[in-house]
Amino acid sequence: MIFKQLFDEKSSTYTYLIASARGREALIIDPVIENVNQYIQLLNELNLKLVKVIDTHIHADHVTGASKLKSITKCSTIMGDHTPAETVEIKVKDNEYINLDNLKIKAMYTPGHTSDSYSFLMDNYLFSGDTLLINGTGRTDFQNGNAKDAYHSIFNKLLKLPEETLLYPAHDYKGEKVSTIGKEKKQNPRLQVNSVDEYVEIMNNLNLKKPAKIDFNVSKNIVLGA
Ligand code: FE
């Protein structure tokens, strides 16, 4: 399998490129528009044909490269079925599988950070978007975010996966690249709560600044960055 984790310095976003082997089909998760040329170069180097691009949710901190990639490669665009982006071609449902050659990627509806947030599981690789981060969790104070939903998505879905599941989030601000479900259960400070109410209390009192350019980014992402 080919697996590349790419980093956008400006927004601290991780983008993932997956393919079964050189010369085969490829999929990209959470592309950043400014880095599309880099992705195309990498696809060419590996002789890959991009067939699918997924956004885990409507991002607030960067513009997706989905539309640009589609116009260059004719790939299909994918999001979960709660997306407000009408031009998404394939809207996957909870527990639905996306095929990529012999690879299977399971869609998991994990609302809370936003109401449209999905996570994606390929074997023991979990692409958690902003639902579960390394040593953190996605904020829940905009885009129909809901701390209670986030708690259920994290505790009743993602943390039920095997402990050795590899966690690949959509962001990291401290240079961490990968974790595991087991490690996060033990060490992630946000997860050391005893009840949903305790989690909601933490999330509702973070007092975070509104992301720069959120209105611009969301309005662009509703049309997949077109
Ligand atoms: Fe986000």
Side-chain angles (χ1 to χ4, degrees):
M1 190 183 71
I2 292 172
F3 172 75
K4 303 278 181 196
Q5 182 179 35
L6 308 161
F7 187 63
D8 178 63
E9 298 277 348
K10 210 173 105 202
S11 62
S12 299
T13 300
Y14 281 127
T15 298
Y16 300 95
L17 182 147
I18 300 160
S20 58
R22 275 177 170 265
R24 305 298 296 265
E25 296 183 339
L27 174 149
I28 291 181
I29 300 176
D30 286 332
V32 176
I33 195 162
E34 286 90 350
N35 304 335
V36 163
N37 291 343
Q38 181 199 336
Y39 310 147
I40 297 293
Q41 199 183 335
L42 185 58
L43 289 161
N44 289 339
E45 276 166 25
L46 296 166
N47 189 25
L48 297 173
K49 179 177 164 46
L50 185 68
V51 293
K52 285 165 182 163
V53 56
I54 299 176
D55 271 303
T56 52
H57 61 290
I58 295 285
H59 298 278
D61 56 356
H62 68 270
V63 174
T64 174
S67 279
K68 196 169 176 191
L69 282 167
K70 185 186 164 176
S71 71
I72 298 170
T73 68
K74 309 278 181 278
C75 65
S76 303
T77 52
I78 303 177
M79 285 188 81
D81 58 353
H82 292 71
T83 181
E86 283 176 13
T87 53
V88 172
E89 283 163 81
I90 303 172
K91 293 180 183 174
V92 288
K93 291 188 173 58
D94 192 25
N95 294 319
E96 190 175 328
Y97 283 88
I98 297 161
N99 294 308
L100 182 77
D101 288 329
N102 58 338
L103 303 173
K104 279 190 180 312
I105 297 138
K106 185 183 173 184
M108 300 171 76
Y109 183 41
T110 53
H113 167 58
T114 62
S115 57
D116 70 337
S117 287
Y118 262 73
S119 299
F120 294 88
L121 182 69
M122 180 186 68
D123 295 327
N124 67 330
Y125 290 67
L126 174 66
F127 304 100
S128 58
D130 293 352
T131 302
L132 180 58
L133 305 172
I134 299 170
N135 286 320
T137 56
R139 63 193 293 178
T140 55
D141 57 336
F142 53 63
Q143 288 178 271
N144 303 317
N146 180 305
K148 208 174 187 176
D149 290 348
Y151 178 91
H152 288 298
S153 295
I154 295 166
F155 283 85
N156 298 329
K157 280 196 160 176
L158 300 186
L159 297 187
K160 301 276 186 209
L161 293 168
E163 304 243 311
E164 64 275 16
T165 306
L166 298 168
L167 177 69
Y168 285 103
H171 294 287
D172 194 86
Y173 304 94
K174 292 184 177 158
E176 300 287 338
K177 291 186 168 167
V178 60
S179 184
T180 64
I181 287 294
K183 239 191 231 171
E184 291 311 302
K185 263 189 198 169
K186 273 195 221 94
Q187 296 175 8
N188 188 323
R190 292 262 176 91
L191 306 182
Q192 313 309 313
V193 294
N194 294 313
S195 69
V196 58
D197 292 342
E198 202 181 319
Y199 188 73
V200 170
E201 182 71 15
I202 291 174
M203 296 310 287
N204 288 347
N205 289 289
L206 294 177
N207 299 317
L208 298 168
K209 264 197 290 182
K210 199 173 156 183
K213 292 174 79 182
I214 177 173
D215 297 328
F216 173 81
N217 290 334
V218 168
S219 69
K220 290 292 278 180
N221 288 330
I222 291 279
V223 289
L224 298 184

